[in-house]
Amino acid sequence: MTKNVVVTGANRGLGLEYCKQFLEKGYKVYACCRAPESAEDLLKLKQQNSQKLETVPLDVTNPTQRMNLKYTLQGDQIDILVNNAGIYGHRLNFGDVESEEWHKVMEVNTIAPLLLVQELVDLMPQGAKVVLMTSKMGSIADNSSGGSYIYRSTKAALNAVGKSLALDLSGKGVSVAICHPGWVQTDMGGPNALIDTKTSVKGLINVLEALGPENTGQFFNYDGAVIPW
Ligand SMILES: NC(=O)c1ccc[n+]([C@@H]2O[C@H](COP(=O)([O-])OP(=O)(O)OC[C@H]3O[C@@H](n4cnc5c(N)ncnc54)[C@H](OP(=O)(O)O)[C@@H]3O)[C@@H](O)[C@H]2O)c1
């Protein structure tokens, strides 16, 4: 039976690469993004994979669109949910941090991924997997340079969400991976980043393939190493 994967933030960067690699592996891909009609690279991929890729309009902070995603799935099961959409927010240094921006980033990076899992969990069979795309910048143990209050705190909070999710969903047989993709050449990572999206996502899918009840709820690097909280 064909397996289904849902990817958020699928129009560019790591999300788009996840779509490509899951298609190569024979998955049906529900590629969610804010503006599918103008997502050129995703539309090209859809032309080449019309039966296997469905685009879905989804701003992850929009409850109506999250519900519509559930209707679009029409009872199809979700084998893998990749909560990939994320933002860095304005680069505000100590002294300039303000709450409106912080709330906005928290909505996208921390709150929306949990709400999406809550809303879709009924469609996840035993053996399903949830990926939370976090960052090493959310590791408190790894923080040796300070700053980045907003991004760091929203990803650290996402890590806490992931740990609780792993425990709460273990009875249902759903596993959770909290994943750092490396420093990757995307709009967010910038051109000087160390690895390309292909390398990162190849590693992340290997991590996912090795994910199960015995290692659910861990904070993984894209190469499979476990990162300290
Ligand atoms: N690149 C890195 O080095 C790096 C390192 C650590 C962690 N990460 C994490 O990896 C994930 C993907 O990053 P990336 O490098 O691919 O970033 P990116 O190139 O900036 O892409 C971000 C994606 O998230 C989407 N997005 C933002 N806000 C959204 C919203 N409200 N609803 C739906 N989609 C939204 C964007 O859609 P639009 O095009 O509509 O804006 C875009 O598709 C993020 O969670 C990021 O924090 C990346």
Side-chain angles (χ1 to χ4, degrees), residues 14-153:
L14 289 158
L16 181 66
E17 184 62 29
Y18 264 120
C19 295
K20 288 182 184 161
Q21 293 196 24
F22 277 122
L23 285 168
E24 282 163 15
K25 286 181 172 280
Y27 282 78
K28 164 136 196 206
V29 177
Y30 289 90
C32 307
C33 63
R34 290 197 275 201
E37 65 290 348
S38 56
E40 278 181 29
D41 294 333
L42 189 57
L43 290 174
K44 251 185 236 156
L45 197 61
K46 188 174 160 64
Q47 272 170 7
Q48 296 150 6
N49 299 274
S50 56
Q51 303 299 313
K52 287 283 196 176
L53 185 142
E54 195 159 335
T55 55
V56 186
L58 179 68
D59 179 323
V60 292
T61 65
N62 181 322
T64 310
Q65 290 191 337
R66 290 200 307 266
M67 265 305 133
N68 284 340
L69 164 62
K70 192 167 183 179
Y71 297 132
T72 304
L73 285 158
Q74 289 187 320
D76 265 5
Q77 67 179 39
I78 300 173
D79 298 288
I80 300 178
L81 168 61
V82 184
N83 275 293
N84 167 73
I87 52 177
Y88 194 91
H90 298 149
R91 287 166 201 269
L92 303 174
N93 294 324
F94 176 75
D96 296 327
V97 176
E98 39 94 0
S99 78
E100 198 182 327
E101 182 66 7
W102 202 337
H103 280 281
K104 196 175 104 195
V105 180
M106 187 69 89
E107 278 284 335
V108 177
N109 288 0
T110 315
I111 300 173
L114 177 68
L115 297 186
L116 197 57
V117 178
Q118 281 189 167
E119 289 155 1
L120 297 178
V121 71
D122 295 347
L123 299 177
M124 295 180 195
Q126 186 167 9
K129 299 175 186 189
V130 173
V131 184
L132 301 180
M133 290 296 287
T134 185
S135 170
K136 217 175 181 179
M137 289 189 73
S139 165
I140 292 168
D142 189 68
N143 183 354
S144 57
S145 55
S148 301
Y149 294 89
I150 294 181
Y151 187 69
R152 282 188 194 282
S153 63

Side-chain angles (χ1 to χ4, degrees), residues 149-169:
Y149 294 89
I150 294 181
Y151 187 69
R152 282 188 194 282
S153 63
T154 62
K155 293 296 191 183
L158 180 65
N159 293 354
V161 162
K163 181 71 194 185
S164 281
L165 254 187
L167 293 167
D168 289 345
L169 299 186

